[in-house]
Coordinates of all heavy atoms in Angstrom, one line a residue:
S369 N -44.0 98.1 -219.4 CA -44.8 97.8 -220.6 C -46.3 98.0 -220.4 O -47.0 98.1 -221.3 CB -44.6 96.3 -220.9 OG -45.0 95.4 -220.0
I370 N -46.7 98.1 -219.1 CA -48.1 98.3 -218.8 C -48.4 99.7 -218.5 O -49.3 100.2 -219.0 CB -48.4 97.4 -217.5 CG1 -48.3 96.0 -217.8 CG2 -49.9 97.7 -217.0 CD1 -48.5 95.2 -216.6
T371 N -47.4 100.5 -217.7 CA -47.8 101.8 -217.3 C -47.2 102.9 -218.1 O -47.5 104.0 -218.0 CB -47.4 102.0 -215.8 OG1 -45.9 102.0 -215.7 CG2 -48.0 100.9 -214.9
G372 N -46.1 102.5 -218.9 CA -45.4 103.6 -219.6 C -44.1 103.9 -219.0 O -43.6 103.2 -218.1
S373 N -43.5 104.9 -219.4 CA -42.1 105.3 -219.0 C -41.9 106.3 -217.9 O -40.9 106.7 -217.7 CB -41.3 105.7 -220.3 OG -42.0 107.0 -220.9
D374 N -43.0 106.7 -217.3 CA -42.9 107.6 -216.2 C -42.5 106.9 -214.9 O -43.2 106.1 -214.3 CB -44.3 108.4 -216.0 CG -44.3 109.4 -215.0 OD1 -43.3 109.6 -214.3 OD2 -45.1 110.4 -215.0
Y375 N -41.3 107.3 -214.4 CA -40.7 106.6 -213.2 C -41.4 106.9 -211.9 O -41.4 106.2 -211.0 CB -39.2 106.9 -213.2 CG -38.3 105.9 -213.8 CD1 -37.9 106.2 -215.1 CD2 -38.0 104.7 -213.3 CE1 -37.2 105.3 -215.8 CE2 -37.2 103.8 -214.0 CZ -36.8 104.1 -215.3 OH -36.0 103.2 -215.9
R376 N -42.3 108.1 -212.0 CA -43.1 108.3 -210.8 C -44.1 107.1 -210.6 O -44.3 106.8 -209.4 CB -43.7 109.6 -211.0 CG -42.8 110.8 -211.0 CD -43.6 112.1 -211.2 NE -44.2 112.0 -212.7 CZ -44.9 113.0 -213.1 NH1 -45.2 114.1 -212.4 NH2 -45.4 112.9 -214.3
W377 N -44.6 106.5 -211.6 CA -45.5 105.4 -211.5 C -44.8 104.1 -211.6 O -45.2 103.2 -211.1 CB -46.6 105.6 -212.6 CG -47.5 106.6 -212.3 CD1 -47.5 107.9 -213.0 CD2 -48.5 106.6 -211.4 NE1 -48.6 108.7 -212.4 CE2 -49.2 107.9 -211.5 CE3 -49.0 105.8 -210.4 CZ2 -50.3 108.2 -210.6 CZ3 -50.1 106.2 -209.6 CH2 -50.6 107.3 -209.7
I378 N -43.6 104.0 -212.3 CA -42.9 102.8 -212.4 C -42.6 102.4 -211.1 O -42.6 101.1 -210.7 CB -41.7 102.9 -213.3 CG1 -42.2 103.0 -214.8 CG2 -40.8 101.7 -213.2 CD1 -41.0 103.3 -215.7
V379 N -41.9 103.1 -210.2 CA -41.6 102.8 -208.8 C -42.8 102.3 -208.1 O -42.8 101.3 -207.4 CB -40.9 104.0 -208.2 CG1 -40.6 103.6 -206.7 CG2 -39.6 104.4 -208.9
V380 N -43.9 103.0 -208.1 CA -45.1 102.7 -207.3 C -45.6 101.3 -207.7 O -45.7 100.4 -206.9 CB -46.2 103.7 -207.5 CG1 -47.5 103.1 -206.8 CG2 -45.8 105.1 -206.9
H381 N -45.8 101.1 -209.0 CA -46.3 99.9 -209.5 C -45.2 98.7 -209.3 O -45.7 97.5 -209.2 CB -46.7 100.0 -211.0 CG -47.9 100.8 -211.1 ND1 -49.1 100.7 -210.5 CD2 -48.0 102.0 -211.9 CE1 -50.0 101.6 -210.8 NE2 -49.4 102.4 -211.7
S382 N -43.9 99.0 -209.4 CA -43.1 98.0 -209.2 C -43.0 97.4 -207.7 O -42.7 96.3 -207.5 CB -41.6 98.5 -209.5 OG -41.4 98.9 -210.8
I383 N -43.2 98.4 -206.9 CA -43.3 98.0 -205.4 C -44.4 97.0 -205.3 O -44.3 95.9 -204.6 CB -43.6 99.1 -204.6 CG1 -42.3 100.0 -204.5 CG2 -44.0 98.8 -203.1 CD1 -42.4 101.3 -203.7
L384 N -45.6 97.3 -205.8 CA -46.8 96.4 -205.8 C -46.5 95.0 -206.5 O -46.7 94.0 -205.9 CB -48.0 97.0 -206.3 CG -48.6 98.2 -205.5 CD1 -49.8 98.9 -206.2 CD2 -49.0 97.7 -204.1
M385 N -46.1 95.0 -207.7 CA -45.7 93.9 -208.4 C -44.6 93.1 -207.8 O -44.7 91.8 -207.9 CB -45.5 94.2 -210.0 CG -45.4 93.0 -210.8 SD -45.4 93.3 -212.6 CE -47.1 93.9 -212.9
G386 N -43.6 93.7 -207.4 CA -42.5 92.9 -206.8 C -43.0 92.1 -205.5 O -42.6 91.0 -205.4
S387 N -43.9 92.7 -204.7 CA -44.5 92.0 -203.6 C -45.3 90.9 -204.0 O -45.2 89.9 -203.5 CB -45.4 93.0 -202.8 OG -44.6 94.1 -202.2
A388 N -46.1 91.1 -205.0 CA -47.1 90.1 -205.5 C -46.2 88.9 -206.1 O -46.4 87.7 -205.8 CB -48.0 90.6 -206.6
L389 N -45.2 89.2 -206.8 CA -44.4 88.3 -207.6 C -43.6 87.3 -206.5 O -43.6 86.2 -206.6 CB -43.4 88.8 -208.5 CG -42.4 87.9 -209.3 CD1 -43.3 87.0 -210.2 CD2 -41.5 88.6 -210.1
L390 N -43.0 88.0 -205.5 CA -42.2 87.1 -204.5 C -43.2 86.3 -203.6 O -42.8 85.2 -203.3 CB -41.4 88.0 -203.6 CG -40.4 87.2 -202.7 CD1 -39.5 86.2 -203.6 CD2 -39.5 88.1 -202.0
M391 N -44.4 86.8 -203.4 CA -45.3 86.0 -202.6 C -45.9 84.9 -203.5 O -46.1 83.7 -203.0 CB -46.5 86.9 -202.1 CG -46.2 87.8 -201.0 SD -47.6 88.5 -200.2 CE -48.1 89.7 -201.5
L392 N -46.1 85.1 -204.8 CA -46.4 84.0 -205.7 C -45.2 82.9 -205.7 O -45.6 81.7 -205.8 CB -46.7 84.5 -207.1 CG -48.1 85.2 -207.4 CD1 -48.1 85.8 -208.7 CD2 -49.1 84.1 -207.2
A393 N -44.1 83.3 -205.8 CA -42.9 82.4 -205.7 C -42.9 81.6 -204.5 O -42.6 80.4 -204.4 CB -41.6 83.2 -205.9
D394 N -43.3 82.3 -203.3 CA -43.3 81.6 -202.1 C -44.5 80.6 -202.1 O -44.3 79.5 -201.6 CB -43.6 82.6 -201.0 CG -43.3 82.0 -199.6 OD1 -42.5 81.1 -199.4 OD2 -44.1 82.3 -198.6
I395 N -45.6 80.9 -202.7 CA -46.7 80.0 -202.7 C -46.2 78.7 -203.7 O -46.5 77.5 -203.2 CB -47.9 80.6 -203.3 CG1 -48.4 81.7 -202.4 CG2 -49.0 79.6 -203.7 CD1 -49.5 82.6 -203.0
A396 N -45.6 79.1 -204.7 CA -45.2 77.9 -205.6 C -44.2 77.0 -204.9 O -44.2 75.8 -205.2 CB -44.6 78.6 -206.9
A397 N -43.3 77.7 -204.1 CA -42.3 77.0 -203.4 C -42.8 76.1 -202.5 O -42.2 74.9 -202.3 CB -41.3 77.9 -202.7
K398 N -44.0 76.3 -201.9 CA -44.6 75.4 -200.9 C -45.5 74.4 -201.4 O -45.7 73.4 -200.8 CB -45.5 76.2 -200.0 CG -44.7 77.2 -199.0 CD -45.5 78.0 -198.0 CE -46.3 79.1 -198.6 NZ -47.0 80.0 -197.7
L399 N -45.8 74.5 -202.8 CA -46.8 73.6 -203.5 C -46.1 72.7 -204.4 O -46.6 71.7 -204.6 CB -47.8 74.3 -204.1 CG -48.8 75.2 -203.2 CD1 -49.8 75.9 -204.1 CD2 -49.6 74.3 -202.3
V400 N -44.9 73.0 -204.9 CA -44.2 72.3 -206.0 C -43.9 70.8 -205.7 O -44.1 70.0 -206.4 CB -43.0 73.1 -206.6 CG1 -42.0 73.2 -205.5 CG2 -42.6 72.4 -207.8
I401 N -43.5 70.6 -204.4 CA -43.2 69.2 -203.9 C -44.1 69.1 -202.7 O -43.4 68.4 -201.7 CB -41.7 69.0 -203.7 CG1 -41.0 70.1 -202.7 CG2 -41.0 69.0 -205.1 CD1 -39.6 69.8 -202.5
H402 N -45.2 69.5 -202.6 CA -46.0 69.5 -201.4 C -46.2 68.0 -200.9 O -46.2 67.1 -201.6 CB -47.4 70.0 -201.7 CG -48.3 70.2 -200.5 ND1 -49.1 69.3 -200.1 CD2 -48.5 71.3 -199.7 CE1 -49.9 69.8 -199.0 NE2 -49.4 70.9 -198.8
P403 N -46.0 67.8 -199.6 CA -46.0 68.8 -198.4 C -44.6 69.3 -198.2 O -44.5 70.1 -197.2 CB -46.5 67.9 -197.3 CG -46.0 66.6 -197.5 CD -46.1 66.4 -199.0
D404 N -43.5 69.0 -198.8 CA -42.3 69.6 -198.6 C -42.2 70.9 -199.3 O -43.2 71.2 -200.1 CB -41.1 68.6 -199.0 CG -41.0 67.4 -198.1 OD1 -41.3 67.5 -196.9 OD2 -40.8 66.3 -198.7
E405 N -41.1 71.6 -199.4 CA -41.0 72.9 -200.1 C -39.6 73.1 -200.5 O -38.6 72.5 -199.9 CB -41.6 74.0 -199.3 CG -40.7 74.3 -198.0 CD -41.3 75.5 -197.3 OE1 -42.4 75.3 -196.6 OE2 -40.6 76.5 -197.2
V406 N -39.4 73.9 -201.5 CA -38.1 74.6 -201.9 C -38.0 75.9 -201.6 O -39.0 76.5 -200.9 CB -37.9 74.3 -203.5 CG1 -37.9 72.8 -203.8 CG2 -38.9 75.1 -204.2
S407 N -37.0 76.6 -201.7 CA -36.8 78.0 -201.3 C -37.4 78.9 -202.5 O -37.5 78.5 -203.6 CB -35.3 78.3 -201.2 OG -34.7 78.4 -202.6
A408 N -37.9 80.1 -202.0 CA -38.6 80.9 -202.9 C -37.5 81.5 -204.1 O -37.9 81.8 -205.2 CB -39.1 82.1 -202.2
G409 N -36.3 81.6 -203.7 CA -35.3 81.9 -204.7 C -35.1 81.0 -205.8 O -34.8 81.4 -206.9
V410 N -35.2 79.7 -205.5 CA -35.2 78.7 -206.7 C -36.4 78.9 -207.6 O -36.2 78.8 -208.8 CB -35.4 77.3 -206.0 CG1 -35.4 76.3 -207.1 CG2 -34.1 77.0 -205.1
M411 N -37.5 79.3 -207.1 CA -38.8 79.5 -207.9 C -38.5 80.8 -208.8 O -39.0 80.8 -209.9 CB -40.0 79.5 -207.0 CG -40.4 78.3 -206.3 SD -40.3 76.7 -207.3 CE -41.5 77.2 -208.5
T412 N -38.0 81.8 -208.1 CA -37.8 83.0 -209.0 C -36.8 82.8 -210.0 O -36.9 83.3 -211.2 CB -37.3 84.2 -208.1 OG1 -36.1 83.8 -207.6 CG2 -38.3 84.5 -207.1

Side-chain angles (χ1 to χ4, degrees):
S369 67
I370 298 173
T371 67
S373 57
D374 188 341
Y375 271 92
R376 292 174 298 178
W377 288 105
I378 288 176
V379 174
V380 173
H381 293 303
S382 292
I383 289 172
L384 293 176
M385 185 170 287
S387 297
L389 181 61
L390 191 54
M391 286 190 293
L392 280 175
D394 187 40
I395 293 169
K398 291 185 285 189
L399 297 179
V400 65
I401 55 173
H402 190 269
D404 295 323
E405 64 178 72
V406 298
S407 67
V410 171
M411 298 309 302
T412 61

